[in-house]
Amino acid sequence: MTDAITVHEGGQEMTFTFADLARYHGFGFPGGVAHSFKVMQRALPLLDEGRPVERREISIRTPFKGPGARDGFEMVTRATSESRYTIDDGLLALERGEFLK
């Protein structure tokens, strides 16, 4: 894994660091920002044989409601503003422990 996330927009490369996402979000929920960064850092290389994917083709489906994560995903993918970001409580893994709403 690298310390950055690289995607394409219109075929041009865009790279984001955790610091970029944190600056975009602000100071309120750094754990959520870290969550989104790590999820994308792990998941995006699994798509399109490791090549950077088009950011506006990525949809996010998550049970995680935190604003830090939402902002991190938004900065990289624009999924929230383009209606490709879905909160899905059906993805909750309650057997893993208590979930705070």
Side-chain angles (χ1 to χ4, degrees):
M1 278 189 298
T2 63
D3 290 331
I5 298 164
T6 300
V7 293
H8 280 169
E9 181 164 10
Q12 294 185 41
E13 215 169 78
M14 298 179 76
T15 299
F16 300 92
T17 65
F18 174 77
D20 294 330
L21 275 62
R23 276 191 299 276
Y24 176 78
H25 170 68
F27 302 106
F29 298 89
V33 176
H35 172 78
S36 67
F37 185 78
K38 289 312 233 179
V39 165
M40 289 184 284
Q41 194 178 39
R42 298 268 311 197
L44 295 180
L46 300 175
L47 305 173
D48 202 20
E49 299 177 0
R51 293 183 297 266
V53 296
E54 282 290 327
R55 73 192 291 222
R56 294 179 188 270
E57 293 179 4
I58 299 167
S59 295
I60 308 293
R61 188 172 209 83
T62 180
F64 193 79
K65 294 178 171 92
R70 181 195 60 228
D71 285 351
F73 288 126
E74 170 65 5
M75 183 174 192
V76 174
T77 69
R78 308 311 287 175
T80 302
S81 60
E82 296 179 0
S83 301
R84 292 178 281 104
Y85 186 83
T86 304
I87 301 295
D88 184 349
D89 287 339
L91 296 174
L92 288 171
L94 298 175
E95 68 279 1
R96 290 187 166 180
E98 194 172 319
F99 176 72
L100 302 175
K101 291 187 178 190

